[in-house]
Amino acid sequence: MTVLFGQLFTGISIGAVLLLIALGLALTFGQMNVINMAHGEFIMAGAYTTYVLQQSITGAGWSLVVALPVAFVVAGTMGVLLEILLIRRLYARPLDTLLVTWGVSLMLQQLARDVFGSPNVQTRAPELLTGNVALPGGLTIANNRLFILALALAAVAALTLALRLTPLGRRIRAVVQNRDLAAVSGIPTARVDRTTFFIGSGLAGLAGVALTLLGPIGPTMGTNLIIDAFLVVVVGGIGQLKGSVIVAFALGVLQATGEYLTTLSVAKVIVFVAIVAFLQWRPQGLFTLRTRSLA
């Protein structure tokens, strides 16, 4: 039972990381149909924001607290600039957005190398997040993993409440369901798109802050994460937040189980095969958007 609960929590913690990475992508990809390959570099921007702040704020705990809102704003601003300068001209052309944002991601990676250097850098974790929590039965849970899980759940709760209870959330949902009808109804879709891109990119910045607690950061850290994020969004259902939550934790548990029974490489193959099999059975994803369209 100890091994079972240990692997279960490992899977949940992996799922929390996947969820934080994919949360913003679910918002932008679902609403705007933009394949943003630079999303990983917004994660990198959030991670490097934490690194920069630790150079001026001596306390690791305070620097982490400050880094969360600052990284959100930094990554969100980068997303808005990308939307204004490039994405705005490529709506309804998803393959073009893929190519353009892939080029932007390469440019941002090179910019990070020029500013911070090619070698990975390490940030200091607060002392409170460096230990473990001992549970009955000899089970231990890492504090940093618990923090990431709490951060992911808080982000999901805040985003869900914003989408359901605020005027901005209602406008976002209207644009997701029918962009043309929302536009003729008086909703400023361009402004909603910019706001959505800011929130989605800002969530990527939060994911970057969280990832600094798990290991070193480098210019290519986003490239290693973006594919997993897209898989979570696609399998969960385009634009379906609850689908992304369920799939992120399911894939995390599946990967943790595969790593325990086999190796890391084989576990990745198992997860990929499971995703392909699921999409063959249900290509629209776990959840779909209900509309009154007859098309």
Side-chain angles (χ1 to χ4, degrees):
M1 292 298 293
T2 300
V3 173
L4 176 62
F5 282 113
Q7 290 305 307
L8 180 61
F9 180 77
T10 300
I12 291 175
S13 63
I14 294 174
V17 174
L18 286 175
L19 179 58
L20 266 180
I21 296 168
L23 200 56
L25 198 61
L27 195 61
T28 55
F29 188 29
Q31 175 186 320
M32 304 164 70
N33 198 27
V34 172
I35 305 176
N36 182 17
M37 298 301 293
H39 189 80
E41 278 54 54
F42 297 155
I43 297 173
M44 175 194 70
Y48 274 118
T49 299
T50 307
Y51 174 75
V52 171
L53 288 174
Q54 284 198 351
Q55 309 307 308
S56 55
I57 302 177
T58 55
W62 284 111
S63 65
L64 181 66
V65 172
V66 174
L68 288 171
V70 173
F72 185 92
V73 173
V74 169
T77 303
M78 292 174 62
V80 170
L81 291 175
L82 178 63
E83 196 276 336
I84 293 175
L85 297 177
L86 294 175
I87 301 298
R88 179 189 297 179
R89 299 167 174 81
L90 299 173
Y91 287 132
R93 296 157 59 185
L95 292 180
D96 289 345
T97 63
L98 185 152
L99 294 174
V100 169
T101 55
W102 176 253
V104 171
S105 71
L106 295 178
M107 294 172 60
L108 292 176
Q109 288 177 26
Q110 187 57 48
L111 178 62
R113 291 189 185 95
D114 294 339
V115 174
F116 300 102
S118 297
N120 291 348
V121 296
Q122 185 73 50
T123 59
R124 303 185 311 276
E127 185 177 352
L128 182 64
L129 301 180
T130 55
N132 298 313
V133 175
L135 299 178
L139 180 63
T140 58
I141 299 176
N143 289 343
N144 58 351
R145 295 279 184 175
L146 282 175
F147 174 79
I148 293 174
L149 177 60
L151 181 63
L153 295 178
V156 171
L159 185 58
T160 301
L161 292 175
L163 290 176
R164 292 186 177 181
L165 302 180
T166 66
L168 172 62
R170 289 190 288 271
R171 289 194 292 268
I172 291 176
R173 287 188 286 122
V175 174
V176 170
Q177 293 179 15
N178 193 318
R179 175 179 293 272
D180 294 333
L181 183 58
V184 299
S185 299
I187 295 177
T189 56
R191 187 186 307 169
V192 172
D193 288 340
R194 286 194 295 271
T195 305
T196 302
F197 229 92
F198 177 82
I199 297 173
S201 302
L203 290 170
L206 290 183
V209 176
L211 289 174
T212 62
L213 300 173
L214 300 179
I217 58 178
T220 60
M221 63 178 296
T223 305
N224 303 325
L225 302 170
I226 188 65
I227 301 301
D228 291 338
F230 270 111
L231 290 176
V232 169
V233 173
V234 171
V235 176
I238 304 301
Q240 298 298 306
L241 185 60
K242 59 183 177 181
S244 296
V245 174
I246 294 173
V247 170
F249 286 116
L251 292 183
V253 172
L254 179 60
Q255 180 173 327
T257 304
E259 290 180 14
Y260 177 74
L261 297 176
T262 57
T263 63
L264 176 60
S265 300
V266 175
K268 288 286 188 181
V269 173
I270 293 173
V271 170
F272 184 73
V273 170
I275 290 173
V276 171
F278 179 83
L279 292 177
Q280 287 290 326
W281 169 63
R282 193 174 175 83
Q284 71 271 31
L286 189 61
F287 296 100
T288 57
L289 182 65
R290 295 182 180 179
T291 69
R292 295 180 181 271
S293 174
L294 298 178

